[in-house]
Amino acid sequence: MKKIFRLLKFPRFLKHIGVKIKNNIQRSIRIQLFTTFLLCALGSFLVARAVVPFFENINETVIVDYSGSMKMMYYHAQDTAELATQENSVEALRELIDQENGKIENEENALKIVVTDDTGKILYKTKQVKEQQIDLHEEIRHVMDFTMNQPFENAYHVIETSRKEFTTLVPLTLQEKNYYFFVSGLPQGEAITSTSEGPIPFFIGVILFIASFFYITKRKMNQIEALAEGVMEIAKGNLAFRIEKKGQDEIALLTVNINQMAEEIMTSIEMERKIEQQKNDLITNVSHDLRTPLTSIMGYLRLLREEKYETKEQYDEYLKIAFSKSEQLKNLIDDLFEYTKLTNDKNSLVRQQVCVNELLEQLMEELVPLAEEKQRIFIKHFPEKRIFAALDSEKIVRVFDNLLINAINYSTAEGKIMVSLEGQKNHVRICVANQSDAFTSEELSSLFERFYKKDQSRSNVTEGSGLGLAIAKSIVELHGGTIHAKYKNETLYFIITLPLTAQ
């Protein structure tokens, strides 16, 4: 059973390897191109070899080979000479001559046989030989020249395509006499057919390789062209254009990076536009908010200069109003300076361990007279345990002071201001809540913008500069915390979260 289970696990192992190889190919364009090249080359080679038989007959050639017949005459002479040597008699030679003479009588193709002595005198011959004497040295030289050019003992087969009389010589010593055994004749040809594949299969393989390689890589080339077109579109300024991602290889990764770059550039441009718009709004709002109290100051001072007052009490009243407007103008300029300083990246905090419980209690005590004047009361929910955090006390006081004063000025109904403190694992949570008029979600998200006022009216500067909550948010974020507002059950909540330690 264990062996069976092992066999069942083996295909899973192969499947795992196959999936891994597939993933590696999909993630690397180099491996894809290399694999495509190998597959196209292998397929082209196999097709080229497969079509070879169809083109072999086109290049078929026929030649006549006479070497086989020459070899038969040569070995026939050698065998006859060896037999004569064994018998030490010329009878074997005479029998061969008689056989060939018989072929002549039957009008068959017969060999020409001559047996001579040392002087070249013909001792035995076939009927077609008319000479009685031959030039022995010339015949030997002729035979030796041919034998050197056509060695029959060579292991390699040499094709002889010319038909000419073939002569072979075997020197013999029989009964202590020297003989020269010549055998000659016209060899019989053998037709040999040869075929060659020619260049056509090679060209078919090359064409198939090019066509298949271009076809398989067409999709990848389309992807590269789409990437180039997308980059060109983005370069023209269409930063909202996104290139479609295809695959998992380096081109897909490049596509993601280009899209991300376009997104970041578009975000950066939008941020710059927003900053530019905020700068313009800041100038407009500052001009408006500075002009309003300044106009009032100049108006009342003009009345005083021209002595357009009737009583000393009216004089004091004009002077009081001008001084009040001057204070408002100074507060606005101070708030603007503070906000500008806080939004500067080089701004730093002077942190120290601060007991948040005691800090809030002290601020609330200082604001009790103002709260009683507005008929407001503080209700606190603090834990008995003292909570310490690393804060810039001077700046964080500005945050709490702003929230508490806003709660005093804008509370409705019974005027209860609830202040709660809660220690968490790594943070401290402070909540300031008061009953208020209704807020929409858009109004809540705009509360921390510069110069924002709920009624959007700037005719009454006593409502504040509109920078208090923007300054508070900058200070909290500078400490690494968060601040947000929510409206529920006719109550407005400002919730601050601050880290206990510096981050």
Side-chain angles (χ1 to χ4, degrees):
M1 288 300 292
K2 290 183 178 179
K3 292 182 178 179
I4 295 176
F5 283 117
R6 288 177 182 174
L7 290 175
L8 290 175
K9 289 181 180 179
F10 188 67
R12 295 180 184 176
F13 176 72
L14 292 178
K15 182 179 179 181
H16 175 72
I17 293 177
V19 171
K20 190 172 182 180
I21 294 174
K22 178 182 177 183
N23 292 336
N24 289 335
I25 293 175
Q26 289 178 343
R27 292 172 183 171
S28 174
I29 189 172
R30 287 176 291 184
I31 298 179
Q32 290 177 23
L33 292 176
F34 182 72
T35 305
T36 301
F37 180 84
L38 287 182
L39 291 177
C40 292
L42 179 62
S44 303
F45 175 76
L46 293 177
V47 171
R49 301 314 301 169
V51 299
V52 166
F54 298 99
F55 296 96
E56 283 184 341
N57 295 331
I58 297 177
N59 301 293
E60 185 178 66
T61 57
V62 179
I63 59 174
V64 178
D65 182 21
Y66 298 97
S67 62
S69 179
M70 291 178 179
K71 284 185 179 181
M72 290 181 64
M73 286 189 287
Y74 173 79
Y75 288 118
H76 190 32
Q78 294 289 331
D79 293 341
T80 303
E82 184 179 354
L83 179 61
T85 302
Q86 291 176 355
E87 294 177 355
N88 196 21
S89 170
V90 295
E91 290 300 323
L93 304 180
R94 296 179 65 181
E95 288 179 4
L96 179 60
I97 292 173
D98 292 340
Q99 291 177 4
E100 296 302 319
N101 286 333
K103 290 181 181 180
I104 294 172
E105 293 175 357
N106 295 330
E107 297 181 350
E108 297 178 3
N109 187 24
L111 296 174
K112 186 192 298 183
I113 301 173
V114 173
V115 181
T116 68
D117 57 11
D118 292 337
T119 63
K121 181 181 178 181
I122 297 176
L123 303 177
Y124 308 99
K125 63 179 180 177
T126 53
K127 293 180 179 181
Q128 69 266 47
V129 178
K130 304 300 181 183
E131 296 87 349
Q132 298 298 322
Q133 182 79 28
I134 62 174
D135 187 348
L136 186 60
H137 296 289
E138 182 66 22
E139 291 295 329
I140 292 176
R141 185 182 64 80
H142 173 71
V143 172
M144 293 302 295
D145 287 343
F146 181 84
T147 303
M148 290 178 65
N149 294 327
Q150 186 77 302
F152 292 118
E153 301 298 335
N154 198 325
Y156 299 100
H157 177 70
V158 180
I159 296 176
E160 178 61 44
T161 57
S162 60
R163 189 183 188 193
K164 55 188 177 182
E165 188 179 50
F166 170 73
T167 302
T168 182
L169 166 65
V170 182
L172 297 171
T173 301
L174 302 175
Q175 297 176 354
E176 297 182 355
K177 291 182 179 181
N178 294 325
Y179 297 92
Y180 293 94
F181 180 38
F182 292 92
V183 178
S184 61
L186 287 174
Q188 300 298 316
E190 179 185 2
I192 299 177
T193 302
S194 63
T195 58
S196 62
E197 56 188 60
I200 296 179
F202 172 76
F203 286 117
I204 290 176
V206 171
I207 293 172
L208 180 62
F209 171 79
I210 295 173
S212 60
F213 187 81
F214 270 85
Y215 177 77
I216 295 175
T217 57
K218 180 181 179 181
R219 177 174 172 271
K220 190 60 62 179
M221 293 305 300
N222 290 338
Q223 186 178 351
I224 295 174
E225 291 173 0
L227 178 63
E229 292 174 0
V231 172
M232 184 65 67
E233 186 69 21
I234 294 172
K236 291 178 181 179
N238 185 9
L239 296 176
F241 183 82
R242 294 294 176 267
I243 306 171
E244 183 182 358
K245 176 189 173 185
K246 294 180 180 179
Q248 303 175 11
D249 54 19
E250 291 86 350
I251 296 178
L253 180 61
L254 180 60
T255 301
V256 172
N257 291 337
I258 291 175
N259 289 336
Q260 185 177 355
M261 179 189 68
E263 181 70 26
E264 291 177 356
I265 293 174
M266 185 172 66
T267 302
S268 176
I269 292 175
E270 290 177 354
M271 182 63 68
E272 289 179 1
R273 289 174 180 172
K274 184 177 179 181
I275 292 173
E276 185 67 22
Q277 183 62 41
Q278 288 177 348
K279 184 181 72 174
N280 295 334
D281 292 343
L282 177 62
I283 295 172
T284 302
N285 294 333
V286 168
S287 300
H288 182 279
D289 285 356
L290 290 177
R291 184 178 61 183
T292 302
L294 187 59
T295 302
S296 298
I297 294 170
M298 291 177 65
Y300 282 106
L301 290 178
R302 185 179 294 110
L303 291 174
L304 294 175
R305 187 186 65 180
E306 295 175 357
E307 297 183 356
K308 292 182 178 181
Y309 53 89
E310 298 177 356
T311 63
K312 181 69 168 61
E313 288 77 10
Q314 193 175 21
Y315 174 87
D316 293 338
E317 181 66 23
Y318 288 169
L319 193 60
K320 180 180 178 182
I321 293 173
F323 183 75
S324 176
K325 295 296 182 181
S326 299
E327 285 184 332
Q328 292 178 15
L329 185 59
K330 178 182 180 299
N331 292 335
L332 177 60
I333 294 173
D334 290 342
D335 286 347
L336 183 60
F337 177 75
E338 182 69 18
Y339 179 76
T340 306
K341 186 171 65 173
L342 287 170
T343 53
N344 188 354
D345 292 337
K346 296 181 180 179
N347 189 69
S348 59
L349 299 175
V350 181
R351 294 178 183 267
Q352 56 184 348
Q353 289 296 318
V354 177
C355 179
V356 184
N357 313 53
E358 295 178 357
L359 182 63
L360 284 172
E361 287 179 352
Q362 182 179 347
L363 286 174
M364 291 166 63
E365 286 293 333
E366 293 175 357
L367 293 173
V368 165
L370 179 60
E372 290 178 349
E373 181 182 344
K374 299 280 188 177
Q375 296 182 352
R376 313 287 191 238
I377 60 172
F378 290 115
I379 300 175
K380 65 178 182 179
H381 299 281
F382 290 179
E384 295 182 1
K385 182 180 178 181
R386 299 168 71 190
I387 301 175
F388 287 87
L391 306 172
D392 187 325
S393 58
E394 182 179 350
K395 288 184 172 60
I396 209 67
V397 162
R398 180 71 183 266
V399 176
F400 297 150
D401 187 65
N402 182 272
L403 294 179
L404 293 174
I405 290 176
N406 282 349
I408 292 172
N409 290 332
Y410 301 110
S411 289
T412 60
E414 299 177 356
K416 293 181 179 179
I417 302 172
M418 291 154 285
V419 182
S420 62
L421 177 64
E422 179 184 357
Q424 298 177 345
K425 184 176 181 181
N426 297 316
H427 296 79
V428 58
R429 183 177 180 272
I430 304 101
C431 178
V432 178
N434 61 276
Q435 290 181 308
S436 172
D437 295 332
F439 278 80
T440 63
S441 58
E442 291 79 8
E443 289 174 338
L444 288 174
S445 61
S446 301
L447 275 176
F448 299 96
E449 293 182 4
R450 294 171 300 186
F451 297 105
Y452 175 79
K453 296 179 181 179
K454 186 175 184 299
D455 59 1
Q456 295 300 312
S457 173
R458 299 187 178 276
S459 59
N460 188 357
V461 183
T462 58
E463 293 182 357
S465 65
L467 287 171
L469 291 177
I471 293 172
K473 182 180 180 183
S474 298
I475 293 174
V476 171
E477 291 180 349
L478 198 60
H479 280 80
T482 60
I483 181 172
H484 67 278
K486 70 176 183 178
Y487 185 81
K488 183 178 181 181
N489 298 331
E490 299 182 354
T491 303
L492 180 63
Y493 297 86
F494 285 96
I495 302 167
I496 301 173
T497 303
L498 294 170
L500 296 177
T501 57
Q503 295 182 347

